[in-house]
Structures are given as structure tokens and as C-alpha cells.
Amino acid sequence: FLGNNIMDIKDFNHNISIISGSGAYICGENSAIINSIEHGVGRPRIKPSHEMGLYGKPTIVNNVETFACVPLVINLGGKAFLDMGDASGGGTKLVALSGHIKNRGVFEVPLGIPLQEILYSEEYGGGSSTGRPIHFCHFGGQSGPIGFEEQLHGNYSYGNMLENDLAIGSGAIVVMDYSVDVIEYLKEVLKFFVYESCGRCTPCRIGTTRVLEHLERFLDGSATFDDINTLENLIENMTDLSACGLGQSAGTAVKSCLKHRRQDFEKRIKGLV
């Protein structure tokens, strides 16, 4: 129902305006996108920002996919919607498969589906596109964790993914085979965050650059075991002290690899790669 005086009810009005944002990754943060819509610089506001929304009015900020679920919940009922998933979240999820996967694209899957089905069934991913085994998957966008073979056997739901140190996030799944070195991949992830940081807060502006520098040390053979500790400390500070979600999650991929593939970093230090 759109327009003015909907169903002949006086002053019952609802209109939609579509506005092109700044196109920056930082504008995924709720207050940064509000600034962008107001034609300001796409930077997060000082928290708490929810008291002052778009043009000074109360504002909710959600992904379009969230709004698209509302009619389903209303028409089907809450229980039926939840039954499409599990106790940690109902309904379906749009999954974007890319990288070394046979069927690249966007697929709508029910929450709770086995992750192996998303990756290997012909209906969805179809398995590796190169014939080489899948090495790792990057979940939920650049801000998400990286998962390895032993983590990829649960269900694709919020609860089960969390139990395996993974996340659904945006629904993106980047699939990489064994031709890709995970530390080389992490370097590209951090180059992205260095570029996309708005620069407003020091923990993110400087922290992303320092993490990138230390990853490059592992790749050029100059890293020591102290660099592993330094990486962990840098990521902890970025996570705790950054002003918004970009800096707070910029080290997630590196942190997940340090936990599940620490030996890859140690091999670089020992010159075994």
C-alpha cells in the first residue's frame, strides 16, 4: 500500500524514495549511510547515534533483505517462518557464491540447510570449478571469518555456524581451492580495509595498515614468532577500540586463520613455504 490516504483513511500515508548512496563499504554502518543519504560524508557518527536519525527524525536502518521478510512473517505467521529454519533464525537466506565454485551466483536457501549441500550439490554450488579440492571459504563478506575443511560440515544456520567459529553475515561465500595461499588471500583482504577505512578513528586507520604490514612480513620471509603475537594484539585493539563495525571486524579473517591455521604462519617463519 503506497501513496496518500491509503484505503481512504485520512493522513494514512506511506511512500518510498530510492536514493543512491556513496558506494563506500563504510556506508554499511547504520549512521554512515544516514550521513550519506543526507549528502554528508559517509562516516559513522559519534555513538550513541540512534537518538538522532535521518534528518533528525526517528529512524530504523535495516538491510533490504530484512524488510523483505516482513510480508512472509505476516502472511505465514511467526511459527511457520521459524520452521523454515531452526531455533536460531527462521526463513531463507540469499547466498552469494563466488571464487572457485562451479555455479557462481546468488541462491535462496532455507536456513538450516547442510553447508555441504550449498557447496557441492548441483542445485547450488556444484563443487570446485577447478577440479582441485576446496581449501577454505570466506563467509559473510570481507568482515567475516574464514573456514577450513573441518569446519564445513554443519548446517547453514546462525547457531550452527557460530558453533563452528563461522558466521552467515551478508550471505557471501567466497570459495578458494588449494592454489590459493591463505596468507596471500588475507593480504588482499587487509588491502581492502586499508582503502575502505574512513580514517576517522586511529585504531582502524592505523591498525589496518599495521596488520597489512605484518602480513607482508610473513610473505617476504622477514617475520618472526613475535609477529604472531603482535598480529593478535593489533586485532584485539582494533576490535575493542574502533569507532564502528568496520574497524571492529577488519581483523576477523586474520583472527580466524590464526586460530585454525596457525601452522601456516609458523611455516612461513621457519622458511618451510
Side-chain angles (χ1 to χ4, degrees):
F1 297 93
L2 293 173
N4 297 325
N5 302 320
I6 295 169
M7 299 176 66
D8 296 324
I9 301 174
K10 181 175 172 55
D11 295 328
F12 180 31
N13 308 323
H14 179 53
N15 295 284
I16 293 176
S17 299
I18 298 175
I19 302 170
S20 179
S22 296
Y25 193 76
I26 188 67
C27 286
E29 199 276 341
N30 61 339
S31 61
I33 190 62
I34 287 175
N35 283 340
S36 174
I37 294 170
E38 293 179 351
H39 305 291
V41 177
R43 289 179 176 172
R45 297 178 177 179
I46 300 298
K47 303 298 186 294
S49 61
H50 296 282
E51 297 175 4
M52 188 65 71
L54 187 66
Y55 302 119
K57 298 179 180 180
T59 306
I60 58 170
V61 180
N62 288 103
N63 190 285
V64 172
E65 190 178 5
T66 302
F67 288 121
C69 290
V70 174
L72 289 174
V73 175
I74 293 173
N75 291 330
L76 298 178
K79 184 180 185 306
F81 183 81
L82 184 60
D83 287 344
M84 296 169 68
D86 65 9
S88 65
T92 62
K93 180 66 183 173
L94 294 176
V95 173
L97 293 173
S98 63
H100 295 144
I101 194 77
K102 189 182 297 182
N103 302 323
R104 301 183 186 94
V106 179
F107 303 86
E108 186 173 13
V109 303
L111 284 169
I113 186 175
L115 187 50
Q116 291 283 301
E117 186 174 342
I118 295 176
L119 295 175
Y120 290 102
S121 73
E122 289 301 324
E123 183 179 0
Y124 301 116
S128 170
S129 61
T130 64
R132 291 182 288 264
I134 292 175
H135 183 194
F136 62 86
C137 297
H138 195 177
F139 290 95
Q142 299 285 63
S143 299
I146 288 176
F148 298 91
E149 196 277 334
E150 68 273 14
Q151 299 168 264
L152 306 180
H153 295 279
N155 291 336
Y156 190 74
S157 69
Y158 293 102
N160 284 317
M161 293 288 280
L162 190 61
E163 288 176 4
N164 288 319
D165 292 333
L166 302 175
I168 289 179
S170 66
I173 304 177
V174 180
V175 180
M176 293 284 107
D177 68 17
Y178 273 89
S179 67
V180 180
D181 180 279
V182 71
I183 301 180
E184 287 275 8
Y185 180 86
L186 291 173
K187 183 186 78 170
E188 297 303 315
V189 171
L190 264 295
K191 284 169 65 176
F192 169 83
F193 279 113
V194 169
Y195 180 79
E196 291 290 345
S197 172
C198 77
R200 180 169 189 165
C201 72
T202 302
C204 178
R205 182 181 69 251
I206 303 300
T208 51
T209 300
R210 292 294 174 262
V211 171
L212 175 60
E213 290 171 351
H214 278 76
L215 290 173
E216 289 172 337
R217 286 171 60 83
F218 284 94
L219 296 171
D220 66 22
S222 62
T224 67
F225 282 97
D226 285 339
D227 287 303
I228 294 180
N229 296 328
T230 301
L231 266 179
E232 291 175 328
N233 288 333
L234 282 168
I235 292 169
E236 182 179 357
N237 284 319
M238 285 168 53
T239 303
D240 292 343
L241 302 175
S242 292
C244 83
L246 187 143
Q248 292 164 11
S249 61
T252 299
V254 180
K255 183 178 181 179
S256 63
C257 290
L258 285 169
K259 179 175 181 178
H260 292 280
R261 285 297 183 273
R262 196 180 191 90
Q263 63 269 28
D264 286 8
F265 294 84
E266 294 175 347
K267 287 178 182 178
R268 289 277 182 174
I269 295 170
K270 297 174 182 177
L272 300 177
V273 178

